[in-house]
């Protein structure tokens, strides 16, 4: 990723529980805020999404795009843009690190829109998307009953 924005949050759950929520694309509209629709277009032989179509409404950025996902072990997933109406690039990742009984989740994101935007505005939009996603992820993971 070139210029990116990143942020981290602590979630009181094991990395596998956090990754379970991240990998459950069908439920993204329930907790992400910006994702209005998610559809897995292709999955690998382990059932993990390889291509996902997302309908996004993040205020200044409204788009219908397809992302390609790469899963690295059980603690990292990254994605790149396949096609989009508004975006030239959308590269991101979630990296999970066990800390005590919880998980530190780091979200990195780099967005490039087809329309000109000042770098400061673009980074602010990235930060808003990241902060909302991490807060939604934390709330979702911590509210799901675990055995």
């Amino acid at each position: 990723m070139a210029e990116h924005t990143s942020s981290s949050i602590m979630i009181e759950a094991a990395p596998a529980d956090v990754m379970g929520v991240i990998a459950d694309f069908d439920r993204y509209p329930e907790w992400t805020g910006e994702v209005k629709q998610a559809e897995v277009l292709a999955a690998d032989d382990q059932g993990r999404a390889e291509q996902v179509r997302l309908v996004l409404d993040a205020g200044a950025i409204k788009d219908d795009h397809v992302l390609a996902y790469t899963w690295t072990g059980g603690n990292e997933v990254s994605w790149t843009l396949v096609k989009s109406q508004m975006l030239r690039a959308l590269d991101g990742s979630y990296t999970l690190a066990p800390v005590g009984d919880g998980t530190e989740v780091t979200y990195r994101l780099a967005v490039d829109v087809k329309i000109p935007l000042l770098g400061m505005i673009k980074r602010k939009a990235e930060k808003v998307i990241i902060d909302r996603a991490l807060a939604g992820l934390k709330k979702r993971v911590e509210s799901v009953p675990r055995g």
Side-chain angles (χ1 to χ4, degrees):
M1 277 180 257
E3 279 188 52
H4 71 274
T5 302
S6 69
S7 190
S8 298
I9 195 167
M10 278 300 300
I11 296 180
E12 298 303 317
D17 294 326
V18 176
M19 192 57 81
V21 171
I22 291 170
D24 189 0
F25 292 98
D26 291 340
R27 298 201 182 274
Y28 271 39
E30 297 174 15
W31 64 268
T32 63
E34 287 81 21
V35 176
K36 302 306 176 194
Q37 186 181 348
E39 176 188 4
V40 175
L41 302 176
D44 65 16
D45 56 5
Q46 296 177 39
R48 299 181 299 191
E50 289 184 318
Q51 282 205 356
V52 180
R53 176 180 165 259
L54 299 165
V55 176
L56 184 75
D57 184 348
I61 300 174
K62 291 178 174 55
D63 196 27
D64 183 338
H65 57 259
V66 175
L67 300 176
Y69 285 82
T70 302
W71 304 86
T72 306
N75 290 341
E76 184 176 348
V77 60
S78 59
W79 56 90
T80 59
L81 187 67
V82 174
K83 67 179 184 177
S84 168
Q85 296 170 344
M86 263 196 75
L87 305 175
R88 204 181 339 258
L90 178 64
D91 298 324
S93 67
Y94 280 112
T95 304
L96 313 183
V99 179
D101 291 335
T103 303
E104 181 181 46
V105 180
T106 301
Y107 184 173
R108 294 169 51 105
L109 186 66
V111 178
D112 191 11
V113 292
K114 291 179 181 174
I115 56 170
L117 270 184
L118 291 174
M120 182 179 69
I121 294 170
K122 185 176 72 141
R123 279 185 289 287
K124 181 175 169 105
E126 289 171 350
K127 182 77 171 136
V128 167
I129 291 168
I130 287 171
D131 288 348
R132 284 187 188 158
L134 287 173
L137 178 63
K138 178 179 175 67
K139 183 176 179 183
R140 179 70 179 199
V141 171
E142 292 179 354
S143 70
V144 172
R146 287 181 293 281

